[in-house]
């Protein structure tokens, strides 16, 4: 199982250079993937811009949006151009897109995008994204990765299963538990087989983490406000799921590998780049 790391974009960061340093250290220490999350009504960095900076600071580590709120990108041709440009900057086979429809209506209000029709727009965006890889498309550049960056989809709906089976290479489970993955995988494998897809869908899970003497406070400061929209109980539940000790980190790796995950991504909650080294030391990278 691959082990990736996620930028602490939802945490109270202030210096963008520290996030670029996260990228440099993540590659140096041997993590498989660097991921970045997405929200409009929050201080998270714009994912494609953040990954462009990371691409310029690295040369090998895979880059992932986890997950990008696709229906907010209402100009589909411009989005396709941005993705293919980033794929060119990163080089072949580095960029992967994790995509989801989004659940926070305030993101769509701020983005002047209709919340109720986001699923339909999502499907249209996927068609336009595929078109930019085809010869003769007037929008360029062509992506460096043949066929364009692989797509992973987040969520647990029937529409998510359909998008994975028709457009995707797998599923990405955000802030997940082992039980979350186990509950969804039978439906995923059934949809994959019914679509006649060869092989198996890729399974990627992400969990929250912070390490060190201030780990629990960092998690509370990052996750509490971020999940406050859903109420105090949900925010506290999110905090309780975070991994704040070496023992929790190693147990998570064992448990997610046991159920067949292809990759586990530890999402940072403390902007200090030293968190990259603490995690790498814990898991032996």
């Amino acid at each position: 199982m691959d082990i990736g790391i996620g930028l602490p974009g939802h945490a109270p960061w202030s210096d963008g250079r520290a996030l670029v340093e996260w990228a440099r250290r993540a590659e140096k220490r041997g993590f498989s993937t660097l991921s970045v999350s997405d929200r409009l009504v929050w201080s998270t960095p714009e994912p494609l811009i953040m990954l462009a900076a990371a691409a310029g600071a690295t040369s090998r580590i895979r880059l992932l949006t986890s997950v990008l709120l696709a229906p907010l990108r209402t100009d589909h041709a411009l989005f396709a151009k941005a993705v293919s440009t980033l794929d060119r900057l990163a080089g072949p086979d580095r960029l992967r897109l994790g995509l989801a429809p989004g659940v926070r209506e305030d993101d769509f209000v701020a983005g002047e995008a209709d919340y109720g029709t986001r699923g339909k727009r999502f499907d249209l965006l996927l068609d336009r994204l595929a078109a930019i890889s085809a010869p003769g498309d007037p929008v360029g550049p062509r992506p460096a990765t043949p066929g364009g960056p692989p797509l992973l989809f987040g969520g647990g709906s029937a529409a998510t299963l359909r998008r994975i089976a028709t457009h995707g290479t797998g599923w990405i489970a955000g802030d997940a538990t082992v039980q979350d993955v186990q509950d969804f995988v039978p439906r995923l494998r059934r949809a994959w087989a019914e679509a006649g897809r060869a092989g198996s869908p890729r399974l990627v899970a992400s969990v929250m983490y912070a390490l060190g003497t201030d780990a629990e406070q960092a998690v509370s400061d990052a996750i509490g406000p971020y999940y406050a929209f859903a109420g105090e109980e949900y925010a506290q539940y999110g905090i309780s799921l975070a991994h704040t000790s070496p023992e929790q980190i190693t147990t998570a790796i064992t448990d997610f590998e046991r159920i067949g995950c292809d990759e586990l991504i530890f999402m940072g909650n403390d902007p200090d780049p030293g968190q990259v080294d603490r995690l790498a030391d814990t898991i032996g990278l």
Side-chain angles (χ1 to χ4, degrees), residues 3-11 22 33-38 44 64-67 172-176 204-211 219 222-223 226-227 242-243 249 264-270 275 279:
I3 305 295
I5 193 168
L7 291 168
H10 64 286
W22 266 71
T33 296
L34 179 77
S35 75
V36 60
S37 58
D38 188 22
T44 45
L64 171 69
T65 59
S66 174
V67 289
I172 183 165
D175 205 4
V204 180
S206 68
V207 297
M208 297 287 197
Y209 96 96
L211 289 168
V219 162
I223 297 177
Y226 191 62
Y227 284 161
H243 299 67
I249 297 288
L264 179 61
I265 296 174
F266 288 93
M267 300 293 296
N269 285 270
D270 181 342
Q275 286 287 322
L279 181 60

Side-chain angles (χ1 to χ4, degrees), residues 124-144:
L124 291 172
L125 179 145
L126 293 174
D127 291 339
R128 188 65 190 82
L129 189 60
I132 201 169
S133 297
D137 189 275
V139 177
R142 303 281 85 73

Side-chain angles (χ1 to χ4, degrees), residues 15 19 32 38 82 87 120 128 172 182 196 245 247 258:
D15 185 354
L19 299 184
S32 60
D38 188 22
D87 194 60
K120 293 180 180 179
R128 188 65 190 82
I172 183 165
Q182 288 180 309
S245 72
E247 294 77 17
R258 173 177 52 80

Side-chain angles (χ1 to χ4, degrees), residues 23-24 26-28 31-35 50-65 83 86-98 143-146 148-150 152 263:
R24 292 193 185 98
E27 177 167 272
K28 182 178 179 180
F31 288 98
S32 60
T33 296
L34 179 77
S35 75
M50 185 65 246
L51 290 183
T58 61
S59 60
R60 300 181 307 279
I61 193 169
R62 292 195 298 257
L63 308 171
L64 171 69
T65 59
V83 167
L86 175 55
D87 194 60
R88 281 278 173 187
L89 292 173
D93 303 315
R94 287 186 69 197
L95 177 63
R96 291 179 295 163
L97 295 181
T145 303
L152 300 166
E263 185 168 32

